[in-house]
């Protein structure tokens, strides 16, 4: 489930990066991570745990893609 969330998170993150830029994409990833952590801490059932893991995977997709773009831009601009 975690990898499935990463797959779709990365796909959606690419769209958000092109549309809104790097900083809003990283903010969305951070908010999704906080939401999934809160769901994991206070999960009343196993289904909520699975949903939280998918959301957490999606947030990792957003954060990883955002940081990769940051690293590439830093290499390009600083030589």
């Amino acid at each position: 489930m975690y990898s499935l969330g990463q797959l779709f998170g990365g796909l959606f993150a690419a769209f958000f990066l092109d549309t809104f830029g790097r900083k809003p994409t990283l903010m969305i990833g951070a908010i999704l991570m906080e939401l999934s952590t809160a769901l994991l801490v206070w999960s009343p059932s196993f289904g909520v745990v699975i949903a939280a893991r998918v959301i957490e995977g999606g947030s990792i997709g957003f954060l990883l893609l955002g940081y990769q773009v940051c690293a590439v831009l830093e290499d390009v601009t600083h030589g």
Side-chain angles (χ1 to χ4, degrees), residues 23-78:
K23 289 182 184 179
T25 303
L26 290 173
M27 289 296 290
I28 290 170
I31 290 169
L32 286 174
M33 179 63 77
E34 291 174 8
L35 174 69
S36 68
T37 302
L39 282 174
L40 283 169
V41 169
W42 293 298
S43 61
S45 66
F46 186 68
V48 175
V49 170
I50 296 297
R53 293 295 288 179
V54 171
I55 294 170
E56 188 175 19
S59 69
I60 293 296
F62 269 80
L63 292 172
L64 286 178
L65 195 58
Y67 284 127
Q68 287 174 352
V69 168
C70 292
V72 168
L73 287 177
E74 186 175 314
D75 289 344
V76 169
T77 58
H78 291 19

